[in-house]
Amino acid sequence: CRILKCNSEYLSATSGLHVGTEESAEFCIALRAYSQCTRKTARACRGDLAYHSAVHGIEDLMNQHNCSKVGPTQTPARAQPTSLDCMVHSDAPELCNYEKSLQRHAPHPNYTHCGLFGD
Amino acid sequence: PHLRTFTDDFQTCKVRGAWPLIDNNYLFVQVTNVAVVPGSSATATSKLTVIFKNFQECVDQKVYQAETDDLPAAFVDGSRNGGEKHGANSLRVLERVAGQHIEIHAKYIGTTIVVRQLGRYLTFAVRLPEEVANSFEDNQGLQLCLKGCPTNERMDWRLPQPRKGGSAAPHSAFTREAATAKCRERLPVDDLYFRSCVFDLLTTGDVNFTLAAYYAFEDVKNLHSNKDKLHIYQRTADHSEGNSAPGR
């Protein structure tokens, strides 16, 4: 569950903002990004108190700032993948890339092969 | 089917019905094999199931299933990646040739799977790290890719001796010479891929098995980590091969 990461990203995005109508747009952008972040982690966070608090909190804050659910987020647009090697999200955990996750321990893992064909 | 194990053992097995190829902490692969011709114990693969197990922040559990004439470019839930987690795209199904060739890239476990349909049957090839292949518990069952087929499931075939003018098997449209010539078109080296090809043609008369052997070797070329071990000349438990002349 990565809810703490979502929390800290939201806090960091809103740290310089003051509650007021002139900065509501910035709050909305940050809240939509926060909401997007929680949705991504929803499955892993099922039953996590911090997660459910965050989801309710976001709803309240969006109402408070009159934010629409659709609109820009602070998350920079991800570039389209150009090859298979680039298809893992830039913010995907390093452990989702076997070779990268191993680099510290074993730079060159041994691979094996199995095949089945014919009759 | 002909099986090349993780340790480069080469076997021809009966294994009729459903058999697990791989069963470890990350991956489960099972094939179902059916008889190819009446009166022969030779079988070929008509169904393949692959289960990628739920893995940390990368992928949800995903099931891939292929059957003869149904080689989908998606998991059974219709998705083509690992779900909704941050690292979901570390698991992808890629269609290379519609209905004939798909690849599954599981980057989070350094694994590539190739599934093809050639004629009426499926072929399977996988490349994975030894660490992943060896990550199983004692209570995880049989894995053909790991230790090969049980002894009583192995077919210790030998190529039939030449019989001038006659076909080698009742169901075969090929003489041995014709089968040899056909297989040599695609497989110039007299290794076990070549010999399996000849055996399959003589057993079934189905020329698609030539392509199965050819692409199985192409997959080995692409997936095997040791380019010096691509060809295999001696079968495992090969007690009495009729054609025991050196491979080359």
Side-chain angles (χ1 to χ4, degrees), chain A residues 85-119:
Chain A
D85 289 340
C86 302
M87 288 175 104
V88 179
H89 283 169
S90 56
D91 63 347
E94 200 175 62
L95 68 88
C96 298
N97 186 323
Y98 178 77
E99 291 202 347
K100 276 190 183 171
S101 70
L102 276 187
Q103 271 172 0
R104 276 176 244 126
H105 316 293
H108 189 70
N110 292 323
Y111 284 88
T112 186
H113 163 275
C114 175
L116 188 79
F117 70 98
D119 80 46

Side-chain angles (χ1 to χ4, degrees), chain B residues 63-82:
Chain B
V63 179
Y64 178 81
Q65 202 156 66
E67 287 186 73
T68 297
D69 294 336
D70 183 18
L71 191 70
F75 295 109
V76 293
D77 64 4
S79 66
R80 292 181 176 214
N81 74 358

Side-chain angles (χ1 to χ4, degrees), chain A residues 64-78:
Chain A
Q64 195 180 318
H65 290 286
N66 279 326
C67 300
S68 71
K69 288 189 176 172
V70 182
T73 67
Q74 254 180 344
T75 311
R78 292 189 180 106

Side-chain angles (χ1 to χ4, degrees), chain A residues 30-63:
Chain A
L31 283 166
R32 280 191 290 266
Y34 193 10
S35 176
Q36 194 177 62
C37 185
T38 60
R39 279 200 299 276
K40 279 182 189 167
T41 194
R43 192 172 292 237
C45 289
R46 194 174 294 159
D48 185 295
L49 189 59
Y51 164 78
H52 291 287
S53 304
V55 170
H56 285 296
I58 292 167
E59 253 181 58
D60 289 345
L61 286 167
M62 287 188 89
N63 287 335

Side-chain angles (χ1 to χ4, degrees), chain A residues 2 40 43 84-85 87-89 91-93 95-98 102 110-119, chain B residues 2 4-6 43 56-58 89-90 92 107-108 110 124-131 145 200 204 225:
Chain A
R2 294 165 64 88
K40 279 182 189 167
R43 192 172 292 237
L84 260 180
D85 289 340
M87 288 175 104
V88 179
H89 283 169
D91 63 347
L95 68 88
C96 298
N97 186 323
Y98 178 77
L102 276 187
N110 292 323
Y111 284 88
T112 186
H113 163 275
C114 175
L116 188 79
F117 70 98
D119 80 46
Chain B
H2 309 290
R4 180 172 183 159
T5 70
F6 290 145
T43 68
Q56 299 187 20
E57 296 166 46
C58 306
N89 282 340
S90 61
R92 308 278 300 189
K107 208 176 176 79
Y108 66 103
F124 166 84
V126 64
R127 168 188 166 89
L128 73 175
E130 284 180 355
E131 182 193 2
C145 279
D200 289 357
T204 65
S225 54

Side-chain angles (χ1 to χ4, degrees), chain B residues 188-199:
Chain B
V189 177
D190 188 4
D191 63 359
L192 284 174
Y193 290 89
F194 168 77
R195 290 186 177 213
S196 298
C197 171
V198 175
F199 172 77

